[in-house]
Amino acid sequence: MSFTYAQLKTAIQDYTDNDETVFVNNLNNFIKAAEEKIFKSVDLDLFRKNVSSIVSINDKFLSLPTDYLSSFSLQITTAGNEEFLLHKDVNFLQEAYNGSAATGKPKYYAQFDISNFIVAPTPDAEYAVELHYYYRPTSLTAGADSGTTWISENAPFALLYGSLTEAYTFMKGEPDVIQNYDKLYMQYMERLKDFGEARENTDSYRMGLPLRPRT
């Protein structure tokens, strides 16, 4: 079971029995709100991304990807050797290296502002870097009616009931109905969290198969 963009919009209207113009005009907001809840509630590999770049000689700033939210790691390559920079607060770097003319292979990095990292010491050469980072996937609402996303294909009911909770709240519906939709949403989110935070990031070779009491 999965939802295309069109199928999800239809399902929301069918479940709420509402096709009023104002309601329909807000369908995208209901879906985006549900995606946001999922995005902020579970750690999936889907939300991770890698990008390669370079740090330039005598330039201590490194531009962030436009879809960047937070970093997992920043790796630097020198003569075929890969090392990870240590993440620090920008104040640490400014205190340790402010006014220093020292250059060398960067050891530390910090987020300087919304668009840039700062590295220290200032690069003495051009170095290849690879950023592993947390990003916001494209919303289902950004595509065509026939489009799908990983969430709409692999967690369709978490997305549906999350959207219905938002939709019925918008309608100022009965509290017990909203609570029921939210309860169903949480049940599907528990399964998604189990997948993303207990199955997706482990394997049976290291951890063994799950054991349950014999009945």
Side-chain angles (χ1 to χ4, degrees):
M1 175 66 188
S2 64
F3 286 115
T4 65
Y5 178 33
Q7 288 170 338
L8 181 58
K9 289 188 291 184
T10 298
I12 295 170
Q13 292 177 77
D14 288 345
Y15 273 72
T16 57
D17 192 25
N18 192 340
D19 58 2
E20 294 179 354
T21 300
V22 175
F23 180 82
V24 172
N25 288 342
N26 279 278
L27 287 173
N28 281 358
N29 291 333
F30 307 149
I31 296 170
K32 289 177 181 178
E35 290 174 328
E36 184 74 10
K37 287 192 293 187
I38 294 172
F39 177 69
K40 295 292 179 62
S41 299
V42 60
D43 185 12
L44 294 168
D45 283 351
L46 167 69
F47 305 142
R48 301 186 179 203
K49 196 173 184 180
N50 286 68
V51 64
S52 298
S53 185
I54 59 170
V55 289
S56 301
I57 185 171
N58 295 325
D59 185 358
K60 60 184 178 180
F61 296 104
L62 175 65
S63 296
L64 293 172
T66 56
D67 57 359
Y68 172 88
L69 290 177
S70 65
S71 59
F72 290 105
S73 64
L74 181 60
Q75 175 184 292
I76 190 169
T77 301
T78 57
N81 296 319
E82 299 175 345
E83 301 178 24
F84 289 92
L85 275 64
L86 297 177
H87 186 264
K88 295 289 186 178
D89 186 88
V90 67
N91 295 328
F92 171 88
L93 300 188
Q94 290 177 326
E95 181 177 11
Y97 291 92
N98 186 33
S100 173
T103 61
K105 182 178 68 175
K107 298 179 180 180
Y108 309 102
Y109 77 105
Q111 186 167 350
F112 183 75
D113 56 27
I114 196 170
S115 301
N116 297 280
F117 281 138
I118 183 172
V119 299
T122 301
D124 60 350
E126 185 177 277
Y127 294 99
V129 294
E130 182 176 342
L131 176 66
H132 184 46
Y133 68 103
Y134 190 54
Y135 84 110
R136 185 186 304 280
T138 302
S139 171
L140 178 65
T141 64
D145 277 349
S146 60
T148 61
T149 62
W150 190 97
I151 294 293
S152 75
E153 291 181 339
N154 296 282
F157 291 105
L159 183 56
L160 172 63
Y161 287 114
S163 300
L164 287 172
T165 301
E166 300 297 327
Y168 216 72
T169 300
F170 175 85
M171 293 169 57
K172 300 178 176 61
E174 295 297 328
D176 59 332
V177 177
I178 297 174
Q179 290 172 6
N180 186 50
Y181 283 148
D182 191 56
K183 180 179 179 180
L184 290 168
Y185 163 75
M186 292 303 300
Q187 288 176 357
Y188 283 104
M189 282 299 296
E190 287 176 4
R191 303 281 65 79
L192 185 60
K193 286 180 70 67
D194 179 64
F195 170 76
E197 298 172 10
R199 298 175 186 272
E200 189 178 47
N201 55 6
T202 60
D203 61 32
S204 298
Y205 178 78
R206 290 184 299 137
M207 304 298 293
L209 293 171
L211 296 177
R212 285 175 173 53
R214 182 176 296 176
T215 58

